[in-house]
Amino acid sequence: LIVQSEFDRLFREGGNLNWFVQSSWQHNETEIYTDRFKGFGGLGYFLYRQDDITWNVKGGAGATWDRRGTMAGWAARSLVGSNCTWTITEGMTFTGSASIENEFGRLERYLAVLELRVDVALKMLDNLSVFASLRDEYDSAPGEGDSWNQLWITLGVSYGF
């Protein structure tokens, strides 16, 4: 189970510089950590922005927690990532994203995330869509009994504000 939220806004209309906040919660019965929380904020820049294709790069800071309820599970992290969204047709988008989340002071410890996602808008309700995604998450230093690499296939519902 994955619950994600992301909010981003341009600093000025027609500009390329933007800011973002994002968070997620993962529940995974197959891993020892069971739950992982993430929260980040920072700045982004649109390298390309047209009606049908956008390409954004972003960087920021935040924290993750995933060590079974102990305070030792918190890790301050940097975030560097990019996403590209293609509007295939009205109401249908394809997004590819990649990010790396390094622990501050321990750059050899990181989470790398690649995701491919298709969203299809439901015309009966504004801003509501269904999606399918393929997500690969690599942990360079998993806890004992956890996997280095996890592959997620997700079907879900999203709402835009």
Side-chain angles (χ1 to χ4, degrees):
L1 177 65
I2 300 176
V3 177
Q4 296 174 301
S5 67
E6 186 165 350
F7 183 81
D8 58 65
R9 284 291 176 259
L10 292 169
F11 278 104
R12 66 176 177 80
E13 191 68 32
N16 290 326
L17 190 61
N18 62 302
W19 61 273
F20 72 92
V21 291
Q22 67 185 50
S23 63
S24 67
W25 167 65
Q26 301 170 355
H27 180 75
N28 190 341
E29 293 287 333
T30 65
E31 300 296 313
I32 299 298
Y33 70 77
T34 309
D35 293 291
R36 175 179 285 154
F37 297 93
K38 298 180 184 183
F40 293 97
L43 299 174
Y45 187 82
F46 281 96
L47 298 174
Y48 186 83
R49 192 164 59 125
Q50 298 296 321
D51 288 340
D52 60 341
I53 297 178
T54 61
W55 180 19
N56 191 30
V57 293
K58 61 185 177 180
T64 61
W65 177 86
D66 63 5
R67 298 291 181 245
R68 301 188 121 213
T70 66
M71 287 305 290
W74 285 101
R77 294 184 182 271
S78 63
L79 170 75
V80 176
S82 180
N83 61 347
C84 185
T85 300
W86 171 35
T87 302
I88 300 166
T89 186
E90 184 181 347
M92 186 175 193
T93 61
F94 174 77
T95 301
S97 62
S99 65
I100 187 163
E101 305 161 5
N102 290 89
E103 279 190 31
F104 285 123
R106 300 176 73 183
L107 295 179
E108 74 280 359
R109 294 182 63 112
Y110 62 89
L111 298 172
V113 180
L114 300 172
E115 186 170 25
L116 302 174
R117 177 174 163 152
V118 175
D119 283 84
V120 179
L122 300 176
K123 292 190 183 250
M124 64 192 111
L125 294 168
D126 288 341
N127 299 324
L128 187 67
S129 64
V130 294
F131 70 87
S133 74
L134 176 63
R135 177 184 178 99
D136 185 24
E137 191 164 308
Y138 177 81
D139 188 342
S140 69
E144 187 175 328
D146 288 338
S147 303
W148 293 85
N149 201 61
Q150 298 175 37
L151 188 63
W152 301 64
I153 298 173
T154 308
L155 302 174
V157 177
S158 67
Y159 186 81
F161 294 95

